Amino acid sequence: MIYDKPEYKASIDIRSITAISSWVHDPISDLDSLPETMRFAGREPSYGPFSDAGMTELCNAVYQEFGNNISDPRLFTVTDVTWSEERIALNDGASRRFSLWRRLSSRERRSPTRIDALMRPVALNEAAFLTLIRDWRLVLVKHNPLLREPFLKVEEVWPDGIFIMEYELYFGGREKEYWLIPKPHNAPPEVRARLVCLHAQLDMAGVSDVFRSVCEARSAYLQVRPHLADDIVW
């Protein structure tokens, strides 16, 4: 359903980066919420604005952490989610400083601040996706005792009805798993009432609904997208 498109290099508007990857948790998507400070050697932390020399120092500090491209340490690696226009920069530990640079770049500048990036676009097979969301629901579930009973009631009548995908083990022992669940109309009549209860419990538990999130991402970002400079493809 999701497939990789050919990589390419481009000069992009720094403001088009919407998230930063994290080795431990999910990507950091609300960049403006980070406590953006820069601690220069021998000086107190500062939010800026900085002088030209200070901005150079800030940018160099970001490059030292984001330099994950061996062939060019000043080339950011960016996953470009084409159906939502989300762009996730691969991070080695400079999320706050990158966010500070991104925010300061929007201040009183006539021309956009550009960064060089290795773009890795991923695309969505629209036909497959529409078929899936019609009949199925994919949710990311943390262990929750409230979901055990309605799950077992469905499993009792229809043992193979819910497909539980592999566990995701995170730092600190947090476990999550994906459940692929048929919608009630896509199930045998004798199990539909139990499925309705399970879907309701999932909603009350506040699980992450993957397909719903994709649907929202396909339309929501375009409604609030800032004016950005076009990419310059190499």
Side-chain angles (χ1 to χ4, degrees):
M1 184 176 71
I2 296 175
Y3 61 95
D4 295 329
K5 299 180 73 174
E7 296 180 352
Y8 63 93
K9 295 179 182 179
S11 174
I12 66 174
D13 189 332
I14 191 174
R15 295 169 300 170
S16 71
I17 300 296
T18 60
I20 300 175
S21 68
S22 169
W23 294 111
V24 178
H25 305 292
D26 296 330
I28 302 168
S29 57
D30 190 0
L31 299 185
D32 293 332
S33 70
L34 292 179
E36 305 160 329
T37 60
M38 179 62 190
R39 183 183 294 276
F40 293 115
R43 282 166 280 169
E44 291 297 320
S46 173
Y47 288 92
F50 302 125
S51 64
D52 289 343
M55 284 301 298
T56 298
E57 204 168 357
L58 171 61
C59 295
N60 287 338
V62 172
Y63 282 125
Q64 288 172 11
E65 293 289 349
F66 272 80
N68 43 52
N69 191 295
I70 298 175
S71 61
D72 186 349
R74 288 184 173 252
L75 192 68
F76 291 84
T77 301
V78 177
T79 299
D80 188 12
V81 185
T82 58
W83 65 84
S84 67
E85 300 196 31
E86 181 180 30
R87 287 181 167 178
I88 306 169
L90 180 63
N91 177 31
D92 277 348
S95 301
R96 296 182 181 183
R97 279 163 287 182
F98 181 87
S99 184
L100 174 59
W101 180 19
R102 177 177 174 271
R103 177 170 61 82
L104 293 177
S105 72
S106 300
R107 284 183 156 195
E108 301 176 0
R109 293 178 182 270
R110 294 183 179 179
S111 59
T113 297
R114 291 186 176 274
I115 57 176
D116 294 335
L118 173 64
M119 305 298 293
R120 293 178 172 173
V122 292
L124 185 69
N125 183 319
E126 293 284 341
F129 178 69
L130 292 175
T131 298
L132 280 170
I133 63 174
R134 181 188 62 206
D135 295 331
W136 298 87
R137 186 178 182 188
L138 180 65
V139 293
L140 180 57
V141 181
K142 296 180 182 179
H143 288 293
N144 187 329
L146 296 178
L147 298 176
R148 178 172 175 79
E149 182 177 351
F151 173 82
L152 291 177
K153 285 185 177 180
V154 173
E155 189 179 48
E156 179 183 7
V157 179
W158 196 18
D160 299 325
I162 300 175
F163 179 66
I164 298 182
M165 303 168 77
E166 71 278 1
Y167 285 95
E168 289 190 0
L169 182 61
Y170 288 80
F171 179 78
R174 296 186 298 115
E175 287 186 350
K176 301 178 183 179
E177 58 191 11
Y178 288 96
W179 293 6
L180 184 61
I181 310 170
K183 293 184 177 179
H185 72 267
N186 195 33
E190 62 271 17
V191 77
R192 287 176 186 169
R194 301 187 184 202
L195 265 177
V196 168
C197 292
L198 176 57
H199 282 291
Q201 288 294 325
L202 288 167
D203 289 334
M204 294 176 64
V207 300
S208 175
D209 195 315
V210 179
F211 291 161
R212 183 181 301 168
S213 298
V214 173
C215 287
E216 292 172 352
R218 291 164 75 209
S219 58
Y221 182 73
L222 290 176
Q223 298 175 21
V224 297
R225 181 183 180 185
H227 178 70
L228 301 175
D230 292 334
D231 296 348
I232 301 175
V233 179
W234 300 359

